[in-house]
Amino acid sequence: MAIDKTAPVAVLGAGAWGLSTALHLLDAGYANITVFDQASEIPSPYSGAYDLNKIVRAEYEDNFYTELALKAINRWKTALWGANFHQVGYVLATSSAAPEKAVKHLQTALLSVKSHPVFANGITPLDTSQDFKEIYWQFDGPLTGFRGYHNRLAGYAHSSNAMADIHRHLIGWGVKFVLGPKEGKVVRIVYRESDNSSERSCIGVQAASGQIHHARRTIACLGAWAARLIPDIGSYVVAKSWSVAHIQLTARESDYLRGIPVLNVRDLGFFFEPDPATHLFKLCPLGAGYINSDRSTGISLPPGESLPVPRDYIPANDEKKLRRLLWETLPWLADRPFVDQKMCWFADTADSEYTVDFVPDTGDSLIVLSGDSGHGFKMMPIVGEWVVKLLRDGVQRLPRWQWRHSQGQKAGKDWGDAVSWRIGNTREIEEVIEEQSRAVKARL
Ligand SMILES: Cc1cc2nc3c(=O)[nH]c(=O)nc-3n(C[C@H](O)[C@H](O)[C@H](O)COP(=O)(O)OP(=O)(O)OC[C@H]3O[C@@H](n4cnc5c(N)ncnc54)[C@H](O)[C@@H]3O)c2cc1C
């Protein structure tokens, strides 16, 4: 049956995937698109991509994602996206303290890029600290036991700026945005029950203001909040967070580090060239992340008022990792205060696979995009294509992106710590905060 592209489509969430969805629907001829977000402006501070920058790399152990990321990188190099993409290169490394899992991950990653026809010519193995210093002449730390490789065909993108640009573009083309904690925050998906089948149709959404917005199709791109509106997905999609911190550099210091490739030390963390506009130097520690599980349902959602996370906070262990990373590479920054520290929430799955599918028993009325697993921003230029295809096909043909039936298990059994690039164990954020405040009190 032909799709009526004039029928109203509601996109829930104006983060990286929601904006991409609206963009591709628009390009495919959908003429009545409304995007909802709980934030009052875009870029949404609630988005996992509300950040200076994100890594854009294409090496995955799984060729499926490598090919998708290569496609996304090619799209990053086009007029609509290019101002926010910086192909400065990417170094994947481990330090002398790296556990075996991190070393193995590095070896597998190197093998896969060395044999890939697109990457092979742009890969430089880095076997000694001197090799690193040839790439990063600014590094004057000891780089103890650092091993890795440099991949020319990667870099980073300005994530908040990219979302702002696509938002502006969509407004210009007539896409409607309903924003804010009352009008834009969706509190309920509205269904019409069917008398003679188990199916129900999604007929729109209700905002916190109470207003109902009708839609022929609703596409939920809610990031870490998906399970709040579609609770069943909480059996396999987990709201998880990683820490982000910054150092405020002077303009001169920022110039000094201009053009450095992204450095990603698997057992410590990663950093980017400083932002030329603000001179902020962004760092993220690496680890298995933090969750916030509800004790009765096991579902993890980002903390609300029930768990006040301290302001300008990251867990002490993450700070330790970042200070060690700085001491090894740029020791003159190792004791600088961190500013604008935050916990940033994304939607994780145990095997790091996305979900792009119709919600079961809702016919073709409700789609969910979720499980970005912390590697979804780079795909922003192409995500919406997956939705257009799903609508055209009427079924998700890729088993890996299908909705997963929970088989009755309670949420929260497997936090995905086995994924090769995650080092350490997932912890409840509440425990970490309590532990830290006990340690502070004990020192007083
Ligand atoms: C610290 C950190 C580092 C990362 N690094 C990288 C990286 O280097 N490379 C990479 O590719 N990816 C990275 N990611 C992952 C990337 O940020 C996500 O994959 C991406 O943001 C997913 O997009 P999304 O649209 O699904 O979710 P989001 O961007 O989080 O957007 C979800 C949106 O839904 C809105 N929303 C939620 N609930 C409601 C509601 N009830 N009503 C209305 N609106 C609602 C929110 O306000 C938000 O704007 C990182 C994530 C984190 C947290």
Side-chain angles (χ1 to χ4, degrees):
M1 199 171 61
I3 295 175
D4 173 7
K5 292 185 175 171
T6 62
V9 177
V11 177
L12 314 186
W17 285 15
L19 290 167
S20 176
T21 296
L23 177 71
H24 285 277
L25 288 174
L26 179 74
D27 288 350
Y30 287 82
N32 190 353
I33 306 165
T34 307
V35 184
F36 295 82
D37 203 285
Q38 59 188 335
S40 301
E41 53 187 24
I42 307 300
S44 159
Y46 297 98
S47 160
Y50 184 74
D51 232 344
L52 285 176
N53 40 38
K54 299 283 185 202
I55 301 173
V56 177
R57 47 108 189 166
E59 56 254 66
Y60 278 90
E61 284 161 34
D62 180 342
N63 208 36
F64 171 78
Y65 283 101
T66 301
E67 296 310 316
L68 283 182
L70 282 171
K71 185 172 179 193
I73 288 179
N74 283 335
R75 201 64 63 75
W76 277 108
K77 295 177 182 171
T78 59
L80 184 59
W81 300 90
N84 292 309
F85 179 56
H86 303 278
Q87 194 173 305
V88 291
Y90 171 71
V91 168
L92 185 65
T94 52
S95 81
S96 63
E100 205 186 318
K101 184 179 174 189
V103 175
K104 238 170 120 181
H105 166 74
L106 174 66
Q107 287 162 351
T108 319
L110 179 55
L111 275 179
S112 83
V113 284
K114 269 196 340 198
S115 58
H116 192 284
V118 179
F119 297 123
N121 285 336
I123 303 298
T124 311
L126 307 172
D127 297 324
T128 65
S129 43
Q130 194 48 42
D131 291 342
F132 279 82
K133 288 182 184 187
E134 276 171 28
I135 302 264
Y136 297 97
W137 57 264
Q138 298 92 334
F139 282 4
D140 54 358
L143 298 158
T144 319
F146 272 43
R147 300 272 177 283
Y149 67 85
H150 175 248
N151 181 356
R152 202 169 46 80
L153 187 65
Y156 71 91
H158 280 289
S159 47
S160 283
N161 291 357
M163 292 194 292
D165 281 357
I166 298 303
H167 174 235
R168 252 191 313 275
H169 175 88
L170 292 171
I171 297 253
W173 285 95
V175 171
K176 295 180 277 300
F177 280 79
V178 181
L179 302 178
K182 285 212 159 46
E183 279 76 23
K185 181 173 181 176
V186 174
V187 291
R188 185 168 72 92
I189 292 185
V190 182
Y191 297 97
R192 185 177 50 222
E193 306 292 333
S194 162
D195 291 342
N196 48 10
S197 83
S198 59
E199 239 179 62
R200 52 190 186 154
S201 230
C202 167
I203 54 166
V205 296
Q206 183 175 8
S209 63
Q211 190 175 346
I212 306 269
H213 298 266
H214 289 279
R216 166 65 184 88
R217 288 199 172 76
T218 299
I219 304 169
C221 306
L222 297 159
W225 285 265
R228 181 156 287 153
L229 293 180
I230 306 172
D232 287 351
I233 207 167
S235 66
Y236 72 93
V237 172
V238 176
K240 195 179 259 190
S241 64
W242 287 321
S243 307
V244 177
H246 304 84
I247 297 175
Q248 181 65 65
L249 301 180
T250 63
R252 219 173 134 67
E253 288 168 341
S254 171
D255 282 348
Y256 183 69
L257 295 177
R258 171 139 339 138
I260 56 170
V262 178
L263 176 71
N264 187 350
V265 183
R266 277 285 177 221
D267 50 308
L268 295 175
F270 55 95
F271 59 64
F272 301 78
E273 73 168 332
D275 176 45
T278 60
H279 311 311
L280 282 167
F281 179 60
K282 179 185 140 182
L283 307 111
C284 291
L286 277 167
Y290 307 92
I291 53 172
N292 179 45
S293 311
D294 180 285
R295 285 201 181 95
S296 60
T297 62
I299 291 177
S300 171
L301 282 165
E305 293 76 42
S306 58
L307 174 66
V309 175
R311 277 181 176 276
D312 206 3
Y313 163 87
I314 61 170
N317 197 40
D318 283 351
E319 172 163 359
K320 213 162 115 191
K321 280 188 193 165
L322 292 182
R323 300 230 173 262
R324 165 94 204 283
L325 176 64
L326 289 168
W327 184 81
E328 291 286 357
T329 54
L330 298 162
W332 53 281
L333 286 176
D335 296 324
R336 288 281 179 92
F338 287 163
V339 297
D340 193 12
Q341 302 175 90
K342 59 181 181 179
M343 311 292 300
C344 174
W345 292 83
F346 62 101
D348 201 28
T349 60
D351 54 8
S352 214
E353 292 281 3
Y354 307 155
T355 291
V356 181
D357 201 358
F358 294 101
V359 173
D361 304 325
T362 61
D364 63 357
S365 61
L366 178 60
I367 287 176
V368 63
L369 271 68
S370 190
D372 69 272
S373 301
H375 62 100
F377 177 76
K378 67 175 72 62
M379 305 291 186
M380 186 178 173
I382 61 168
V383 167
E385 286 179 12
W386 310 334
V387 179
V388 172
K389 180 171 186 330
L390 181 65
L391 283 166
R392 203 174 44 227
D393 294 352
V395 61
Q396 179 49 275
R397 298 215 166 93
L398 275 174
R400 59 168 82 215
W401 284 359
Q402 284 167 358
W403 175 279
R404 299 185 214 178
H405 292 275
S406 69
Q407 289 143 1
Q409 85 259 32
K410 203 174 164 184
K413 279 191 181 151
D414 181 351
W415 305 127
D417 295 354
V419 170
S420 70
W421 49 277
R422 293 182 185 147
I423 310 302
N425 297 312
T426 301
R427 297 194 62 197
E428 292 287 345
I429 187 65
E430 190 173 7
E431 278 170 29
V432 176
I433 294 169
E434 276 172 13
E435 201 175 278
Q436 210 162 319
S437 79
R438 276 199 303 275
V440 170
K441 279 186 196 136
R443 279 203 299 272
L444 291 176

